[in-house]
Amino acid sequence: MNKHTRTAFMVAPILAVIGYIAADYYEEDQAEKEKVIQLVPVEGCDVINQKCILRAGDFEVNVFDKDNLTTVNSTFPLDSATIFLVDKNNQPTAYPLGMIQSPYYWHTETNLRELIGHSGQSYKLRLVAKIKGGRYISEFYTTTK
């Protein structure tokens, strides 16, 4: 084995480790960058009857209302979440959600049940969920069935 081959065998593992560490730093930097991702309803949303799932790739959010507490349950831990109730004039009212025991569950007290009523009306909602540098947003209508 000549001197160049021996040097290559000694340097190659060091370069591989350095490349692996550099790739990890690059991926972490990309994850921290600000980005906006749209959540799309899987099927029709019925927040009152706990049948509203929003999805973006592997990330899913379940939005439901029980006893006037609007709750958001996600597949990944959230940094913060806000739900907006949008009136007929397209004016939103923000309701910041508070964490319940873990960053997977967030809730706040709203008057969503009163606004929707029991007549099968639809009502516009918006959701903004933050995870690291990403903002997951959705605008959807909820109806009662």
Side-chain angles (χ1 to χ4, degrees):
M1 188 179 309
N2 68 24
K3 139 175 127 171
H4 296 293
T5 306
R6 214 173 320 155
T7 304
F9 277 120
M10 291 175 13
V11 173
I14 295 168
L15 291 176
V17 170
I18 291 171
Y20 181 78
I21 292 170
D24 186 49
Y25 277 116
Y26 175 77
E27 287 295 320
E28 186 174 331
D29 181 57
Q30 292 299 311
E32 294 290 329
K33 286 187 176 177
E34 285 286 325
K35 57 186 167 277
V36 177
I37 300 148
Q38 184 175 5
L39 291 165
V40 179
V42 174
E43 294 178 8
C45 276
D46 186 356
V47 174
I48 301 299
N49 293 316
Q50 303 178 13
K51 296 178 182 174
C52 183
I53 297 176
L54 309 171
R55 181 181 293 154
D58 291 338
F59 181 62
E60 287 187 358
V61 176
N62 183 10
V63 182
F64 61 92
D65 188 274
K66 187 174 183 180
D67 301 326
N68 287 334
L69 284 176
T70 302
T71 304
V72 170
N73 173 20
S74 64
T75 55
F76 298 121
L78 301 176
D79 294 332
S80 69
T82 306
I83 196 154
F84 298 87
L85 304 182
V86 184
D87 66 14
K88 295 173 188 171
N89 301 322
N90 212 27
Q91 296 300 315
T93 303
Y95 290 90
L97 294 122
M99 189 181 351
I100 313 171
Q101 298 176 348
S102 81
Y104 295 92
Y105 293 90
W106 298 72
H107 75 194
T108 191
E109 191 171 330
T110 65
N111 60 343
L112 184 60
R113 284 183 180 271
E114 297 169 16
L115 294 170
I116 293 176
H118 299 289
S119 61
Q121 298 173 320
S122 65
Y123 198 83
K124 187 190 297 188
L125 299 171
R126 292 181 185 147
L127 175 70
V128 177
K130 295 180 186 176
I131 301 176
K132 290 188 179 183
R135 292 176 192 246
Y136 290 83
I137 62 168
S138 183
E139 180 175 282
F140 58 98
Y141 287 88
T142 181
T143 57
T144 56
K145 295 178 182 174

